[in-house]
Amino acid sequence: DADVTQTPRNRITKTGKRIMLECSQTKGHDRMYWYRQDPGLGLRLIYYSFDVKDINKGEISDGYSVSRQAQAKFSLSLESAIPNQTALYFCATGDSNQPQHFGDGTRLSIL
Amino acid sequence: RKEVEQDPGPFNVPEGATVAFNCTYSNSASQSFFWYRQDCRKEPKLLMSVYSSGNEDGRFTAQLNRASQYISLLIRDSKLSDSATYLCVVKDGNFNKFYFGSGTKLNVKP
C-alpha cells in the first residue's frame, strides 16, 4: 500500500462545480501539503498544515480551501472550479526536518 | 525573483556521459537542500539530500555552495533510466516551507 494516497487519480468536471480531492497518509507525519503542478512552472504550494489545528495558506491559495480532518487526512476543495485550475495536484507529507513524500497525484481537468 | 531557479533544459546526452545541473536559490537563510527526480506524469521522488560537505550516492554527487547560493547535481556514466526531470528543492528554515524549482529535463540517448 502507498504511504500517501490521493483520490481520485483523475477527474474531469465542468466549470462551477465543487470538487474535493482527498489525501491520506500512513507515515504518521504531522505535516501535510497540497501543491499544484503546471508545465514550466514547477510545483506551487496551495495550502499546508503542520498539525490538525493548523492551516496555512501557500503561494496560490485563492479559489481553494482545505480541511485537516485528522492527522492522516488532508483534503483540498475547489468551491467553484474554473478552467485555469486544470492541473496536476499533489499531496505531500513530512516532518520538520525531513524531505517530503508525495502521493501519486490527481489529474484534474475543468471544462 | 523566483525562490529557486533551474535551467529547464532539455539536456540531451549519450549513454555513459557525465552531466551536471545547477540550481540557484535566493534566500540566504535556506537551511536544507534536496534533489528530487520526477518521471513524466508521476510524483516527485527524493533522489538525495544535499549536505554542506557534499555527498555522493553511487553515480550521483550533490554539492552545495552557500557563498554563491547554488547547489549542483552530477551524474556520471548516464543510463537510459536516468532520463527524467530533476527538481531542485530548498527548505526555508524560517517558515519550514519547501520551494521547488521548475525542473531540469534530462534525456539520455542510446
Side-chain angles (χ1 to χ4, degrees):
Chain A
D1 288 339
D3 294 325
V4 183
T5 303
Q6 290 183 234
T7 56
R9 293 293 311 278
N10 294 280
R11 179 79 184 268
I12 300 173
T13 191
K14 295 182 178 179
T15 297
K17 294 291 188 182
R18 184 177 187 272
I19 310 296
M20 181 179 285
L21 308 183
E22 310 268 9
C23 177
S24 62
Q25 51 123 343
T26 58
K27 298 192 72 67
H29 289 158
D30 289 328
R31 301 178 182 207
M32 298 187 74
Y33 307 78
W34 275 105
Y35 293 90
R36 67 177 278 176
Q37 188 173 34
D38 299 273
L41 293 178
L43 285 154
R44 292 184 291 166
L45 183 63
I46 305 172
Y47 270 96
Y48 61 104
S49 167
F50 284 176
D51 64 43
V52 174
K53 296 179 181 179
D54 176 78
I55 301 289
N56 304 282
K57 292 183 177 181
E59 57 184 308
I60 52 162
S61 58
D62 288 348
Y64 301 94
S65 62
V66 290
S67 173
R68 185 79 185 266
Q69 301 96 319
Q71 188 207 32
K73 295 184 183 294
F74 192 36
S75 59
L76 175 72
S77 294
L78 289 68
E79 296 301 324
S80 180
I82 56 177
N84 74 3
Q85 290 177 312
T86 293
L88 181 57
Y89 289 83
F90 287 107
C91 174
T93 72
D95 278 333
S96 59
N97 293 311
Q98 298 301 314
Q100 298 193 326
H101 299 264
F102 287 82
D104 290 340
T106 295
R107 191 166 297 278
L108 179 61
S109 296
I110 299 162
L111 307 177
Chain B
R1 183 182 175 189
K2 289 183 181 179
E3 295 281 344
V4 180
E5 301 215 44
Q6 294 182 251
D7 180 344
F11 285 61
N12 298 307
V13 302
E15 270 187 293
T18 295
V19 61
F21 313 133
N22 281 344
C23 160
T24 58
Y25 60 95
S26 61
N27 186 351
S28 59
S30 299
Q31 290 190 344
S32 304
F33 308 88
F34 310 93
W35 282 103
Y36 278 71
R37 171 195 168 123
Q38 186 175 25
D39 293 291
C40 187
R41 296 173 178 262
K42 300 284 190 179
E43 76 276 21
K45 291 184 179 179
L46 178 67
L47 178 65
M48 58 198 307
S49 302
V50 187
Y51 305 122
S52 296
S53 56
N55 51 306
E56 186 173 315
D57 182 2
R59 299 182 292 109
F60 298 83
T61 301
Q63 299 212 323
L64 168 64
N65 185 318
R66 284 194 181 273
S68 300
Q69 293 182 208
Y70 75 85
I71 67 173
S72 63
L73 177 67
L74 180 78
I75 305 175
R76 290 181 298 278
D77 188 23
S78 299
K79 311 292 184 190
L80 294 176
S81 57
D82 293 335
S83 296
T85 297
Y86 291 84
L87 306 177
C88 170
V89 182
V90 174
K91 182 171 177 249
D92 175 350
N94 291 329
F95 298 101
N96 286 302
K97 289 184 184 179
F98 290 81
Y99 295 96
F100 287 75
S102 55
T104 297
K105 188 170 176 58
L106 171 65
N107 295 317
V108 181
K109 311 276 188 186

